[in-house]
Amino acid sequence: MLVRMPIRTATAEDWPAIWAFLRRIVAAGETYTYPRDLDEDRARDIWMPSPPSRTVVATDPDGTVLGSAKMNPNHMGPGAHIAGASFMVAPEHGGRGVGRALGEHVLEWARAEGYKAMQFNAVVESNTQAVALWRSLGFEVIGTVPKAFDHPTKGYVGLHIMHRFL
């Protein structure tokens, strides 16, 4: 039987758990355009934004943080009807459906908030698991910026812009 993963609004008390995996993912330099030496204060500012943005965590029933997502308007003013989102799953909890659960949650949130579409601005094309997940949730690659991401082992690879209507 499939049990729905608990997802709730992130609190300041969740930050140490988020930072523990965010720091490792960013330092690896394979999936995010953040500087590899991103410091904790700047990371918190980026990942825990103020409303109308929102940050959530996916947890085990015992409260262990497995992953996190932040949702936000992708643009301001006349473009504010398009949502954006970013996702990180603790590497040790990969393969458990955390990313999919967070993706589905974010799509539900965006619909409920009245957004018309969601756009991801920079999905690293060599991150094939993420690309496949977002395609399975209805996103399309609407463009790729060639050689826009300097991957630590693959060299310059493209950044996909992915989109779906809600």
Side-chain angles (χ1 to χ4, degrees), residues 66-111:
L66 309 174
S68 182
K70 70 175 185 114
M71 301 87 80
N72 49 273
N74 201 331
H75 304 286
M76 297 182 289
H81 61 285
I82 307 298
S86 298
F87 305 83
M88 288 201 191
V89 174
E92 62 273 18
H93 297 296
R96 296 177 54 187
V98 178
R100 177 171 299 280
L102 287 166
E104 290 171 351
H105 179 86
V106 165
L107 288 168
E108 290 172 17
W109 168 84
R111 279 187 208 98

Side-chain angles (χ1 to χ4, degrees), residues 1-6 61 96:
M1 181 170 97
L2 183 62
V3 177
R4 198 163 163 93
M5 187 170 300
R96 296 177 54 187

Side-chain angles (χ1 to χ4, degrees), residues 6-19 21-22 44 46-51 53-59 63 65-71 88 102 105:
I7 297 176
R8 62 170 172 75
T9 299
T11 66
E13 291 75 31
D14 294 316
W15 176 250
I18 296 168
W19 175 238
F21 58 83
L22 187 149
R44 186 183 306 105
I46 292 168
W47 204 260
M48 303 287 279
S50 302
S53 301
R54 181 171 179 236
T55 302
V56 297
V57 290
T59 64
V65 175
L66 309 174
S68 182
K70 70 175 185 114
M71 301 87 80
M88 288 201 191
L102 287 166
H105 179 86

Side-chain angles (χ1 to χ4, degrees), residues 29 36 147-153 155-157:
R36 290 188 194 170
K147 298 185 179 188
F149 185 84
D150 188 5
H151 191 281
T153 60
Y156 291 102
V157 299

